[in-house]
Amino acid sequence: MKIYFFLLAMPIIGGFIGWITNILAIKLIFWPIEPLNIFGLKFQGIIPKRRYEIAKNIGNALESEILSFEEVAKILSNSSLKYEILEKIKFIINERIIEKLPLFIPKKMVSNFFNEAIDYYGLPLIDELKRDLMNKAREEIKIGKIVEEKINSFDIVKLENLIIQLSKRELRQIEILGGIIGFFIGFIQALVSYFLKM
């Protein structure tokens, strides 16, 4: 009876230790937020300790791998968008400018003149403006830097809650897996101990 209790107790203790260890490991990703000095050794959570480096790497990865400036420019240079801009210009000229012309000026003729000029010169002009704006924006807008600053401005506790909220199920699986692995290690230890005593 005593041996069966021993064989059962070791896997349960091993499972509990594995489960608790993984819970602590997950907590230590974030905690302690401020460095703790214990026996001359400094302890700090991985994310608080390497926060700025992580933010920089995420920003760089986002800019180079996920959403480069060139991709944003490609979306903005969509041809349907150009035509929408031209139609908006025509609307503004016809509704807001031509309507205010004196009565003796033929509005229809002026409207046709502007519409034809916009149709002829509009697309090349938009392309030229777009190139100038994109070159200026490329120099001044750094997507990676914006993301890095945004992450760094996050309160570390809010960041922890956000990450835990987004990956709650996966973190729970890691905790359970720790318990299962601990259980099997305890079971193997119990078997080895049992056969060594025989």
Side-chain angles (χ1 to χ4, degrees):
M1 186 72 178
K2 189 179 175 185
I3 195 72
Y4 293 118
F5 176 77
F6 176 74
L7 286 172
L8 189 64
M10 280 189 82
I12 290 170
I13 292 166
F16 180 73
I17 290 169
W19 177 62
I20 291 293
T21 302
N22 278 14
I23 288 174
L24 282 173
I26 290 165
K27 267 289 177 203
L28 291 174
I29 293 170
F30 297 96
W31 297 91
I33 291 172
E34 297 299 324
L36 285 179
N37 208 337
I38 302 169
F39 304 116
L41 295 170
K42 273 190 178 178
F43 290 96
Q44 189 176 14
I46 295 166
I47 289 181
K49 186 176 183 178
R50 300 184 63 193
R51 174 186 186 159
Y52 298 107
E53 186 185 338
I54 291 166
K56 188 178 178 66
N57 289 337
I58 290 170
N60 289 342
L62 184 73
E63 190 167 2
S64 61
E65 306 291 331
I66 300 166
L67 189 66
S68 68
F69 188 85
E70 280 64 33
E71 285 176 283
V72 174
K74 198 174 173 183
I75 292 163
L76 293 174
S77 64
N78 186 333
S79 59
S80 66
L81 187 64
K82 292 180 197 176
Y83 291 110
E84 283 177 38
I85 291 167
L86 290 178
E87 288 306 312
K88 189 72 177 170
I89 292 168
K90 285 180 189 178
F91 174 80
I92 290 166
I93 288 171
N94 286 304
E95 293 291 315
R96 298 188 187 165
I97 298 170
I98 293 174
E99 287 301 316
K100 292 179 182 175
L101 290 174
L103 290 173
F104 63 87
I105 296 175
K107 293 179 182 176
K108 184 74 176 160
M109 192 175 81
V110 174
S111 175
N112 287 342
F113 170 78
F114 277 115
N115 286 343
E116 285 173 19
I118 290 165
D119 286 337
Y120 187 77
Y121 295 108
L123 286 175
L125 188 62
I126 285 175
D127 285 336
E128 192 179 326
L129 282 169
K130 187 198 76 182
R131 268 194 306 274
D132 291 346
L133 285 171
M134 288 303 166
N135 287 335
K136 191 160 178 61
R138 186 179 281 109
E139 292 168 15
E140 294 182 14
I141 299 171
K142 302 291 181 198
I143 295 169
K145 196 74 181 158
I146 293 166
V147 171
E148 181 185 343
E149 286 168 5
K150 199 74 180 166
I151 291 170
N152 285 333
S153 70
F154 250 69
D155 176 57
I156 199 75
V157 176
K158 282 183 184 174
L159 185 63
E160 177 193 8
N161 290 337
L162 178 68
I163 291 169
I164 288 171
Q165 199 173 19
L166 290 172
S167 53
K168 190 180 280 185
R169 201 172 76 191
E170 289 78 9
L171 294 174
R172 187 84 183 119
Q173 287 171 349
I174 291 169
E175 291 172 14
I176 292 166
L177 189 62
I180 292 168
I181 292 168
F183 180 86
F184 280 111
I185 290 170
F187 183 70
I188 290 163
Q189 283 179 319
L191 285 177
V192 169
S193 296
Y194 175 73
F195 285 113
L196 287 175
K197 284 182 179 178
M198 283 180 76

